């Protein structure tokens, strides 16, 4: 990106997985109906959440309430993320975008079927949950795909509109064509309960919403 600032991406292989959660999963939501999803093409996913130094290099400002060069950028809305991506792509000709919700969950699970990529439970030694503040990206161990902070730290905006899942198996889903809320995934340091960071947990907020525990990571189609 310039000035020695790099944007690291990880190639995630194509594959098939069960999206959503089984009815037996603790604290599951009613919009997590389990269904088979096939992702037919590999894609790149941000190794880390977008950092404040990366945001500043592209946008020239740092909106984050708690400042730190290697902290994830926060206080950004879905709309803000689109502005960043537009400017990033103009600078790099890179084809960057937000991940689809299906890509995000597939990348988070990294081949696992448990509530978390580390197993049936999650502690604050494994992710930044129920903490006092954000932490530098990469402060915890990565998942099996080599992705950091898929659980906790800050919520990640996804591309999709938020809605109930369609019935049946899906191939390369992109979510509904319209809506009022966009999807966020992964939980944050602010959430007191580990279940908010489950691989399948999903929330929806308007594209203009922003706060100090919302951030994002990038995706890119090869």
């Amino acid at each position: 990106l310039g000035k020695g600032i790099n944007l690291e991406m990880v190639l995630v292989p194509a594959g098939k997985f069960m999206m959503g959660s089984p009815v037996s999963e603790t604290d599951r939501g009613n919009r997590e109906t389990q269904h088979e999803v096939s992702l037919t093409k590999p894609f790149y996913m941000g190794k880390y959440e977008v950092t404040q130094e990366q945001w500043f290099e592209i946008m020239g400002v740092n909106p984050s309430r708690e400042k730190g060069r290697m902290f994830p950028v926060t206080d950004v809305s879905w709309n803000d993320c689109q502005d960043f991506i537009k400017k990033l792509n103009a600078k790099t000709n890179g084809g960057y975008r937000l991940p689809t919700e299906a890509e995000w969950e597939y990348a988070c699970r990294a081949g696992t079927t448990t509530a978390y990529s580390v197993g049936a439970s999650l502690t604050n030694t494994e992710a930044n949950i129920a903490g006092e503040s954000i932490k530098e990206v990469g402060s915890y161990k990565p998942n099996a795909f080599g992705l950091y902070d898929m659980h906790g730290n800050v919520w990640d905006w996804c591309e999709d509109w938020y809605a109930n899942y369609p019935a049946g198996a899906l191939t390369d889903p992109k979510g509904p064509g319209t809506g009022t809320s966009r999807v966020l995934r992964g939980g944050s340091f602010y959430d007191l309960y580990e279940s908010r960071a489950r691989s399948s947990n999903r929330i929806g907020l308007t594209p203009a919403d922003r706060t100090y525990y919302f951030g994002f990571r990038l995706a890119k189609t090869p």
Side-chain angles (χ1 to χ4, degrees):
L1 302 182
K3 300 178 183 177
I5 300 171
N6 297 313
L7 179 60
E8 296 182 73
M9 307 291 285
V10 172
L11 185 62
V12 177
K16 185 182 296 184
F17 77 112
M18 293 301 294
M19 188 170 179
S21 60
V23 294
S24 59
E25 189 165 297
T26 303
D27 293 332
R28 78 185 294 269
N30 60 8
R31 286 189 165 187
E32 296 175 22
T33 304
Q34 203 167 36
H35 58 290
E36 185 179 87
V37 169
S38 298
L39 298 177
T40 61
K41 299 176 182 178
F43 59 95
Y44 287 105
M45 191 77 154
K47 187 175 183 179
Y48 309 106
E49 290 159 330
V50 171
T51 64
Q52 293 180 25
E53 73 167 4
Q54 290 168 339
W55 182 277
F56 184 83
E57 183 60 24
I58 298 299
M59 304 296 285
V61 296
N62 181 2
S64 308
R65 182 180 305 187
E66 185 171 356
K67 300 292 196 289
R69 185 175 64 88
M70 297 305 294
F71 287 168
V73 67
T74 62
D75 300 86
V76 291
S77 68
W78 187 92
N79 292 332
D80 296 333
C81 295
Q82 299 301 320
D83 291 340
F84 172 88
I85 289 168
K86 183 178 180 180
K87 291 184 178 181
L88 173 66
N89 285 335
K91 181 172 183 175
T92 64
N93 195 28
Y96 295 102
R97 56 180 174 79
L98 288 178
T100 67
E101 186 178 15
E103 288 174 336
W104 192 98
E105 185 172 328
Y106 177 73
C108 178
R109 290 187 176 281
T112 63
T113 58
T114 47
Y116 310 90
S117 63
V118 296
S121 61
L122 184 73
T123 69
N124 58 13
T125 64
E126 297 164 314
N128 188 15
I129 55 171
E132 295 180 357
S133 66
I134 58 174
K135 293 185 178 181
E136 290 191 358
V137 298
S139 294
Y140 297 84
K141 292 181 179 179
N143 68 12
F145 282 159
L147 301 169
Y148 291 81
D149 302 311
M150 296 299 290
H151 301 297
N153 216 13
V154 295
W155 287 92
D156 291 348
W157 284 107
C158 292
E159 184 65 28
D160 305 37
W161 290 109
Y162 180 73
N164 290 329
Y165 292 136
L170 300 172
T171 299
D172 299 323
K174 296 184 182 300
T178 59
T180 58
S181 299
R182 296 285 186 175
V183 172
L184 291 115
R185 288 297 205 113
S188 74
F189 74 89
Y190 182 78
D191 297 296
L192 297 178
Y193 302 102
E194 66 178 271
S195 60
R196 296 279 280 174
R198 289 176 301 111
S199 298
S200 59
N201 189 45
R202 53 201 301 256
I203 63 172
L205 290 168
T206 75
D209 279 320
R210 61 171 71 88
T211 192
Y212 61 96
Y213 45 90
F214 290 176
F216 71 111
R217 71 180 68 226
L218 294 165
K220 179 181 176 182
T221 302

